[in-house]
PDB file of all heavy atoms in Angstrom:
ATOM      1  N   CYS I   1     110.486-194.204 125.403  1.00  0.00           N
ATOM      2  CA  CYS I   1     109.348-194.322 126.309  1.00  0.00           C
ATOM      3  C   CYS I   1     108.135-193.545 125.805  1.00  0.00           C
ATOM      4  O   CYS I   1     106.992-193.884 126.149  1.00  0.00           O
ATOM      5  CB  CYS I   1     109.734-193.816 127.700  1.00  0.00           C
ATOM      6  SG  CYS I   1     110.950-194.860 128.544  1.00  0.00           S
ATOM      7  N   ASP I   2     108.371-192.498 125.019  1.00  0.00           N
ATOM      8  CA  ASP I   2     107.268-191.662 124.551  1.00  0.00           C
ATOM      9  C   ASP I   2     106.788-192.039 123.155  1.00  0.00           C
ATOM     10  O   ASP I   2     106.053-191.292 122.507  1.00  0.00           O
ATOM     11  CB  ASP I   2     107.676-190.185 124.574  1.00  0.00           C
ATOM     12  CG  ASP I   2     108.940-189.924 123.756  1.00  0.00           C
ATOM     13  OD1 ASP I   2     109.550-190.905 123.281  1.00  0.00           O
ATOM     14  OD2 ASP I   2     109.316-188.750 123.595  1.00  0.00           O
ATOM     15  N   GLU I   3     107.204-193.212 122.655  1.00  0.00           N
ATOM     16  CA  GLU I   3     106.758-193.702 121.351  1.00  0.00           C
ATOM     17  C   GLU I   3     106.172-195.100 121.521  1.00  0.00           C
ATOM     18  O   GLU I   3     106.607-195.866 122.371  1.00  0.00           O
ATOM     19  CB  GLU I   3     107.927-193.760 120.355  1.00  0.00           C
ATOM     20  CG  GLU I   3     108.615-192.425 120.109  1.00  0.00           C
ATOM     21  CD  GLU I   3     107.796-191.505 119.217  1.00  0.00           C
ATOM     22  OE1 GLU I   3     106.809-191.991 118.623  1.00  0.00           O
ATOM     23  OE2 GLU I   3     108.132-190.315 119.120  1.00  0.00           O
ATOM     24  N   ASN I   4     105.205-195.426 120.696  1.00  0.00           N
ATOM     25  CA  ASN I   4     104.570-196.743 120.775  1.00  0.00           C
ATOM     26  C   ASN I   4     104.862-197.614 119.562  1.00  0.00           C
ATOM     27  O   ASN I   4     104.216-198.650 119.379  1.00  0.00           O
ATOM     28  CB  ASN I   4     103.043-196.580 120.929  1.00  0.00           C
ATOM     29  CG  ASN I   4     102.661-195.921 122.243  1.00  0.00           C
ATOM     30  OD1 ASN I   4     103.224-196.241 123.285  1.00  0.00           O
ATOM     31  ND2 ASN I   4     101.704-195.012 122.188  1.00  0.00           N
ATOM     32  N   ASP I   5     105.818-197.198 118.734  1.00  0.00           N
ATOM     33  CA  ASP I   5     106.067-197.969 117.512  1.00  0.00           C
ATOM     34  C   ASP I   5     107.067-199.110 117.724  1.00  0.00           C
ATOM     35  O   ASP I   5     107.312-199.914 116.834  1.00  0.00           O
ATOM     36  CB  ASP I   5     106.584-197.050 116.403  1.00  0.00           C
ATOM     37  CG  ASP I   5     107.852-196.295 116.800  1.00  0.00           C
ATOM     38  OD1 ASP I   5     108.375-196.540 117.913  1.00  0.00           O
ATOM     39  OD2 ASP I   5     108.317-195.475 115.997  1.00  0.00           O
ATOM     40  N   TRP I   6     107.693-199.173 118.925  1.00  0.00           N
ATOM     41  CA  TRP I   6     108.660-200.222 119.245  1.00  0.00           C
ATOM     42  C   TRP I   6     109.761-200.305 118.186  1.00  0.00           C
ATOM     43  O   TRP I   6     110.198-201.378 117.801  1.00  0.00           O
ATOM     44  CB  TRP I   6     107.977-201.587 119.418  1.00  0.00           C
ATOM     45  CG  TRP I   6     107.094-201.622 120.610  1.00  0.00           C
ATOM     46  CD1 TRP I   6     105.739-201.479 120.625  1.00  0.00           C
ATOM     47  CD2 TRP I   6     107.499-201.764 121.976  1.00  0.00           C
ATOM     48  NE1 TRP I   6     105.270-201.529 121.913  1.00  0.00           N
ATOM     49  CE2 TRP I   6     106.321-201.714 122.764  1.00  0.00           C
ATOM     50  CE3 TRP I   6     108.735-201.936 122.603  1.00  0.00           C
ATOM     51  CZ2 TRP I   6     106.359-201.819 124.141  1.00  0.00           C
ATOM     52  CZ3 TRP I   6     108.768-202.057 123.982  1.00  0.00           C
ATOM     53  CH2 TRP I   6     107.585-201.991 124.741  1.00  0.00           C
ATOM     54  N   LYS I   7     110.192-199.146 117.750  1.00  0.00           N
ATOM     55  CA  LYS I   7     111.294-199.084 116.779  1.00  0.00           C
ATOM     56  C   LYS I   7     112.605-198.981 117.550  1.00  0.00           C
ATOM     57  O   LYS I   7     112.820-198.035 118.303  1.00  0.00           O
ATOM     58  CB  LYS I   7     111.131-197.878 115.864  1.00  0.00           C
ATOM     59  CG  LYS I   7     112.236-197.733 114.838  1.00  0.00           C
ATOM     60  CD  LYS I   7     112.024-196.499 113.984  1.00  0.00           C
ATOM     61  CE  LYS I   7     113.160-196.324 112.983  1.00  0.00           C
ATOM     62  NZ  LYS I   7     112.965-195.093 112.169  1.00  0.00           N
ATOM     63  N   PRO I   8     113.519-199.951 117.393  1.00  0.00           N
ATOM     64  CA  PRO I   8     114.791-199.875 118.137  1.00  0.00           C
ATOM     65  C   PRO I   8     115.659-198.724 117.638  1.00  0.00           C
ATOM     66  O   PRO I   8     115.799-198.502 116.437  1.00  0.00           O
ATOM     67  CB  PRO I   8     115.447-201.231 117.851  1.00  0.00           C
ATOM     68  CG  PRO I   8     114.832-201.702 116.575  1.00  0.00           C
ATOM     69  CD  PRO I   8     113.437-201.152 116.547  1.00  0.00           C
ATOM     70  N   LEU I   9     116.213-197.982 118.591  1.00  0.00           N
ATOM     71  CA  LEU I   9     117.104-196.868 118.282  1.00  0.00           C
ATOM     72  C   LEU I   9     118.492-197.179 118.820  1.00  0.00           C
ATOM     73  O   LEU I   9     118.636-197.846 119.842  1.00  0.00           O
ATOM     74  CB  LEU I   9     116.565-195.575 118.894  1.00  0.00           C
ATOM     75  CG  LEU I   9     115.171-195.156 118.431  1.00  0.00           C
ATOM     76  CD1 LEU I   9     114.688-193.958 119.234  1.00  0.00           C
ATOM     77  CD2 LEU I   9     115.163-194.832 116.938  1.00  0.00           C
ATOM     78  N   TYR I  10     119.527-196.651 118.143  1.00  0.00           N
ATOM     79  CA  TYR I  10     120.910-196.942 118.499  1.00  0.00           C
ATOM     80  C   TYR I  10     121.588-195.687 119.031  1.00  0.00           C
ATOM     81  O   TYR I  10     121.522-194.626 118.410  1.00  0.00           O
ATOM     82  CB  TYR I  10     121.687-197.454 117.282  1.00  0.00           C
ATOM     83  CG  TYR I  10     121.031-198.607 116.543  1.00  0.00           C
ATOM     84  CD1 TYR I  10     121.320-198.840 115.209  1.00  0.00           C
ATOM     85  CD2 TYR I  10     120.128-199.453 117.174  1.00  0.00           C
ATOM     86  CE1 TYR I  10     120.723-199.898 114.521  1.00  0.00           C
ATOM     87  CE2 TYR I  10     119.532-200.502 116.509  1.00  0.00           C
ATOM     88  CZ  TYR I  10     119.830-200.721 115.181  1.00  0.00           C
ATOM     89  OH  TYR I  10     119.230-201.760 114.508  1.00  0.00           O
ATOM     90  N   TYR I  11     122.230-195.837 120.183  1.00  0.00           N
ATOM     91  CA  TYR I  11     122.951-194.732 120.797  1.00  0.00           C
ATOM     92  C   TYR I  11     124.391-195.159 121.053  1.00  0.00           C
ATOM     93  O   TYR I  11     124.625-196.179 121.709  1.00  0.00           O
ATOM     94  CB  TYR I  11     122.311-194.335 122.138  1.00  0.00           C
ATOM     95  CG  TYR I  11     120.875-193.893 122.050  1.00  0.00           C
ATOM     96  CD1 TYR I  11     119.833-194.824 122.111  1.00  0.00           C
ATOM     97  CD2 TYR I  11     120.548-192.546 121.927  1.00  0.00           C
ATOM     98  CE1 TYR I  11     118.512-194.427 122.036  1.00  0.00           C
ATOM     99  CE2 TYR I  11     119.229-192.137 121.857  1.00  0.00           C
ATOM    100  CZ  TYR I  11     118.212-193.081 121.900  1.00  0.00           C
ATOM    101  OH  TYR I  11     116.894-192.681 121.831  1.00  0.00           O
ATOM    102  N   ARG I  12     125.345-194.401 120.545  1.00  0.00           N
ATOM    103  CA  ARG I  12     126.738-194.719 120.842  1.00  0.00           C
ATOM    104  C   ARG I  12     127.001-194.454 122.321  1.00  0.00           C
ATOM    105  O   ARG I  12     126.755-193.361 122.820  1.00  0.00           O
ATOM    106  CB  ARG I  12     127.673-193.887 119.963  1.00  0.00           C
ATOM    107  CG  ARG I  12     128.260-194.687 118.828  1.00  0.00           C
ATOM    108  CD  ARG I  12     129.174-193.933 117.945  1.00  0.00           C
ATOM    109  NE  ARG I  12     130.154-193.100 118.618  1.00  0.00           N
ATOM    110  CZ  ARG I  12     130.945-192.241 117.972  1.00  0.00           C
ATOM    111  NH1 ARG I  12     130.859-192.136 116.657  1.00  0.00           N
ATOM    112  NH2 ARG I  12     131.808-191.517 118.639  1.00  0.00           N
ATOM    113  N   VAL I  13     127.522-195.461 123.000  1.00  0.00           N
ATOM    114  CA  VAL I  13     127.714-195.373 124.450  1.00  0.00           C
ATOM    115  C   VAL I  13     128.673-194.251 124.826  1.00  0.00           C
ATOM    116  O   VAL I  13     128.490-193.573 125.842  1.00  0.00           O
ATOM    117  CB  VAL I  13     128.214-196.734 124.993  1.00  0.00           C
ATOM    118  CG1 VAL I  13     128.647-196.619 126.448  1.00  0.00           C
ATOM    119  CG2 VAL I  13     127.119-197.786 124.853  1.00  0.00           C
ATOM    120  N   ASP I  14     129.691-193.996 124.002  1.00  0.00           N
ATOM    121  CA  ASP I  14     130.672-192.958 124.331  1.00  0.00           C
ATOM    122  C   ASP I  14     130.112-191.546 124.164  1.00  0.00           C
ATOM    123  O   ASP I  14     130.738-190.584 124.598  1.00  0.00           O
ATOM    124  CB  ASP I  14     131.923-193.133 123.469  1.00  0.00           C
ATOM    125  CG  ASP I  14     131.618-193.035 121.982  1.00  0.00           C
ATOM    126  OD1 ASP I  14     131.038-193.996 121.429  1.00  0.00           O
ATOM    127  OD2 ASP I  14     131.942-192.009 121.375  1.00  0.00           O
ATOM    128  N   ARG I  15     128.949-191.413 123.531  1.00  0.00           N
ATOM    129  CA  ARG I  15     128.320-190.096 123.390  1.00  0.00           C
ATOM    130  C   ARG I  15     127.292-189.816 124.474  1.00  0.00           C
ATOM    131  O   ARG I  15     126.702-188.750 124.507  1.00  0.00           O
ATOM    132  CB  ARG I  15     127.638-189.986 122.014  1.00  0.00           C
ATOM    133  CG  ARG I  15     128.586-189.856 120.844  1.00  0.00           C
ATOM    134  CD  ARG I  15     127.781-189.617 119.588  1.00  0.00           C
ATOM    135  NE  ARG I  15     128.597-189.624 118.391  1.00  0.00           N
ATOM    136  CZ  ARG I  15     128.123-189.859 117.169  1.00  0.00           C
ATOM    137  NH1 ARG I  15     126.836-190.104 117.021  1.00  0.00           N
ATOM    138  NH2 ARG I  15     128.903-189.854 116.128  1.00  0.00           N
ATOM    139  N   ILE I  16     127.053-190.791 125.335  1.00  0.00           N
ATOM    140  CA  ILE I  16     126.122-190.592 126.457  1.00  0.00           C
ATOM    141  C   ILE I  16     126.899-189.957 127.605  1.00  0.00           C
ATOM    142  O   ILE I  16     127.786-190.577 128.185  1.00  0.00           O
ATOM    143  CB  ILE I  16     125.511-191.932 126.906  1.00  0.00           C
ATOM    144  CG1 ILE I  16     124.706-192.563 125.763  1.00  0.00           C
ATOM    145  CG2 ILE I  16     124.617-191.724 128.133  1.00  0.00           C
ATOM    146  CD1 ILE I  16     124.176-193.952 126.074  1.00  0.00           C
ATOM    147  N   VAL I  17     126.568-188.718 127.926  1.00  0.00           N
ATOM    148  CA  VAL I  17     127.350-187.987 128.928  1.00  0.00           C
ATOM    149  C   VAL I  17     126.701-188.014 130.314  1.00  0.00           C
ATOM    150  O   VAL I  17     127.341-187.653 131.301  1.00  0.00           O
ATOM    151  CB  VAL I  17     127.586-186.521 128.484  1.00  0.00           C
ATOM    152  CG1 VAL I  17     128.443-186.494 127.236  1.00  0.00           C
ATOM    153  CG2 VAL I  17     126.272-185.794 128.241  1.00  0.00           C
ATOM    154  N   ASN I  18     125.436-188.440 130.376  1.00  0.00           N
ATOM    155  CA  ASN I  18     124.782-188.531 131.689  1.00  0.00           C
ATOM    156  C   ASN I  18     123.652-189.558 131.613  1.00  0.00           C
ATOM    157  O   ASN I  18     122.954-189.649 130.599  1.00  0.00           O
ATOM    158  CB  ASN I  18     124.211-187.175 132.111  1.00  0.00           C
ATOM    159  CG  ASN I  18     123.731-187.184 133.550  1.00  0.00           C
ATOM    160  OD1 ASN I  18     124.430-187.689 134.440  1.00  0.00           O
ATOM    161  ND2 ASN I  18     122.551-186.655 133.791  1.00  0.00           N
ATOM    162  N   ILE I  19     123.509-190.328 132.678  1.00  0.00           N
ATOM    163  CA  ILE I  19     122.460-191.354 132.760  1.00  0.00           C
ATOM    164  C   ILE I  19     121.712-191.164 134.071  1.00  0.00           C
ATOM    165  O   ILE I  19     122.326-191.155 135.144  1.00  0.00           O
ATOM    166  CB  ILE I  19     123.051-192.779 132.709  1.00  0.00           C
ATOM    167  CG1 ILE I  19     123.883-192.981 131.438  1.00  0.00           C
ATOM    168  CG2 ILE I  19     121.934-193.827 132.798  1.00  0.00           C
ATOM    169  CD1 ILE I  19     124.707-194.266 131.455  1.00  0.00           C
ATOM    170  N   VAL I  20     120.395-190.999 133.994  1.00  0.00           N
ATOM    171  CA  VAL I  20     119.549-190.881 135.181  1.00  0.00           C
ATOM    172  C   VAL I  20     118.641-192.103 135.236  1.00  0.00           C
ATOM    173  O   VAL I  20     117.907-192.382 134.277  1.00  0.00           O
ATOM    174  CB  VAL I  20     118.699-189.597 135.152  1.00  0.00           C
ATOM    175  CG1 VAL I  20     117.758-189.549 136.356  1.00  0.00           C
ATOM    176  CG2 VAL I  20     119.602-188.365 135.131  1.00  0.00           C
ATOM    177  N   GLU I  21     118.693-192.830 136.355  1.00  0.00           N
ATOM    178  CA  GLU I  21     117.848-194.006 136.526  1.00  0.00           C
ATOM    179  C   GLU I  21     116.535-193.600 137.204  1.00  0.00           C
ATOM    180  O   GLU I  21     116.541-192.881 138.203  1.00  0.00           O
ATOM    181  CB  GLU I  21     118.559-195.058 137.367  1.00  0.00           C
ATOM    182  CG  GLU I  21     119.867-195.552 136.748  1.00  0.00           C
ATOM    183  CD  GLU I  21     120.581-196.583 137.612  1.00  0.00           C
ATOM    184  OE1 GLU I  21     119.886-197.237 138.430  1.00  0.00           O
ATOM    185  OE2 GLU I  21     121.809-196.718 137.482  1.00  0.00           O
ATOM    186  N   HIS I  22     115.428-194.068 136.638  1.00  0.00           N
ATOM    187  CA  HIS I  22     114.113-193.782 137.209  1.00  0.00           C
ATOM    188  C   HIS I  22     113.627-194.956 138.043  1.00  0.00           C
ATOM    189  O   HIS I  22     114.128-196.076 137.919  1.00  0.00           O
ATOM    190  CB  HIS I  22     113.113-193.469 136.088  1.00  0.00           C
ATOM    191  CG  HIS I  22     113.496-192.279 135.257  1.00  0.00           C
ATOM    192  ND1 HIS I  22     113.475-190.989 135.744  1.00  0.00           N
ATOM    193  CD2 HIS I  22     113.946-192.182 133.976  1.00  0.00           C
ATOM    194  CE1 HIS I  22     113.875-190.149 134.798  1.00  0.00           C
ATOM    195  NE2 HIS I  22     114.172-190.855 133.711  1.00  0.00           N
ATOM    196  N   ARG I  23     112.651-194.705 138.864  1.00  0.00           N
ATOM    197  CA  ARG I  23     112.105-195.764 139.708  1.00  0.00           C
ATOM    198  C   ARG I  23     111.233-196.726 138.909  1.00  0.00           C
ATOM    199  O   ARG I  23     110.993-197.858 139.325  1.00  0.00           O
ATOM    200  CB  ARG I  23     111.286-195.157 140.851  1.00  0.00           C
ATOM    201  CG  ARG I  23     112.132-194.354 141.843  1.00  0.00           C
ATOM    202  CD  ARG I  23     111.276-193.843 142.987  1.00  0.00           C
ATOM    203  NE  ARG I  23     112.069-193.086 143.953  1.00  0.00           N
ATOM    204  CZ  ARG I  23     111.577-192.530 145.045  1.00  0.00           C
ATOM    205  NH1 ARG I  23     110.262-192.645 145.306  1.00  0.00           N
ATOM    206  NH2 ARG I  23     112.357-191.852 145.873  1.00  0.00           N
ATOM    207  N   LYS I  24     110.757-196.276 137.781  1.00  0.00           N
ATOM    208  CA  LYS I  24     109.826-197.079 136.990  1.00  0.00           C
ATOM    209  C   LYS I  24     110.544-198.222 136.268  1.00  0.00           C
ATOM    210  O   LYS I  24     111.579-198.025 135.656  1.00  0.00           O
ATOM    211  CB  LYS I  24     109.102-196.200 135.968  1.00  0.00           C
ATOM    212  CG  LYS I  24     108.017-196.939 135.196  1.00  0.00           C
ATOM    213  CD  LYS I  24     107.267-195.991 134.257  1.00  0.00           C
ATOM    214  CE  LYS I  24     106.198-196.741 133.476  1.00  0.00           C
ATOM    215  NZ  LYS I  24     105.469-195.853 132.547  1.00  0.00           N
ATOM    216  N   ARG I  25     109.972-199.415 136.359  1.00  0.00           N
ATOM    217  CA  ARG I  25     110.451-200.563 135.600  1.00  0.00           C
ATOM    218  C   ARG I  25     109.602-200.708 134.345  1.00  0.00           C
ATOM    219  O   ARG I  25     108.439-200.306 134.316  1.00  0.00           O
ATOM    220  CB  ARG I  25     110.363-201.849 136.430  1.00  0.00           C
ATOM    221  CG  ARG I  25     111.197-201.859 137.704  1.00  0.00           C
ATOM    222  CD  ARG I  25     112.681-201.752 137.396  1.00  0.00           C
ATOM    223  NE  ARG I  25     113.519-202.167 138.500  1.00  0.00           N
ATOM    224  CZ  ARG I  25     113.968-201.394 139.466  1.00  0.00           C
ATOM    225  NH1 ARG I  25     113.632-200.118 139.482  1.00  0.00           N
ATOM    226  NH2 ARG I  25     114.753-201.857 140.418  1.00  0.00           N
ATOM    227  N   PHE I  26     110.186-201.284 133.301  1.00  0.00           N
ATOM    228  CA  PHE I  26     109.434-201.461 132.054  1.00  0.00           C
ATOM    229  C   PHE I  26     109.331-202.933 131.691  1.00  0.00           C
ATOM    230  O   PHE I  26     110.088-203.770 132.169  1.00  0.00           O
ATOM    231  CB  PHE I  26     110.099-200.679 130.908  1.00  0.00           C
ATOM    232  CG  PHE I  26     111.478-201.165 130.533  1.00  0.00           C
ATOM    233  CD1 PHE I  26     111.650-202.194 129.611  1.00  0.00           C
ATOM    234  CD2 PHE I  26     112.613-200.586 131.084  1.00  0.00           C
ATOM    235  CE1 PHE I  26     112.910-202.646 129.262  1.00  0.00           C
ATOM    236  CE2 PHE I  26     113.888-201.028 130.743  1.00  0.00           C
ATOM    237  CZ  PHE I  26     114.033-202.057 129.826  1.00  0.00           C
ATOM    238  N   GLU I  27     108.357-203.224 130.863  1.00  0.00           N
ATOM    239  CA  GLU I  27     108.180-204.561 130.316  1.00  0.00           C
ATOM    240  C   GLU I  27     108.152-204.474 128.798  1.00  0.00           C
ATOM    241  O   GLU I  27     107.610-203.515 128.237  1.00  0.00           O
ATOM    242  CB  GLU I  27     106.883-205.204 130.824  1.00  0.00           C
ATOM    243  CG  GLU I  27     106.891-205.496 132.319  1.00  0.00           C
ATOM    244  CD  GLU I  27     105.629-206.211 132.767  1.00  0.00           C
ATOM    245  OE1 GLU I  27     104.803-206.557 131.883  1.00  0.00           O
ATOM    246  OE2 GLU I  27     105.471-206.421 133.985  1.00  0.00           O
ATOM    247  N   ILE I  28     108.740-205.476 128.141  1.00  0.00           N
ATOM    248  CA  ILE I  28     108.744-205.512 126.679  1.00  0.00           C
ATOM    249  C   ILE I  28     107.537-206.312 126.211  1.00  0.00           C
ATOM    250  O   ILE I  28     107.328-207.448 126.651  1.00  0.00           O
ATOM    251  CB  ILE I  28     110.034-206.161 126.138  1.00  0.00           C
ATOM    252  CG1 ILE I  28     111.266-205.387 126.640  1.00  0.00           C
ATOM    253  CG2 ILE I  28     110.017-206.208 124.620  1.00  0.00           C
ATOM    254  CD1 ILE I  28     111.348-203.970 126.162  1.00  0.00           C
TER     255      ILE I  28
END
């Protein structure tokens, strides 16, 4: 969200220990 280069990043799902959902929706 804090970058404008639209470079896709990869995150292993099993290494994500917490997920916080924000009210903001995004558009591609």
Side-chain angles (χ1 to χ4, degrees):
C1 292
D2 56 354
E3 301 285 348
N4 295 318
D5 57 4
W6 293 100
K7 179 181 178 181
L9 301 173
Y10 308 156
Y11 300 87
R12 257 180 46 188
V13 170
D14 60 286
R15 288 186 186 158
I16 298 174
V17 295
N18 189 45
I19 303 169
V20 176
E21 299 179 24
H22 300 291
R23 294 183 179 180
K24 186 176 179 181
R25 299 297 198 270
F26 65 87
E27 293 184 5
I28 302 297

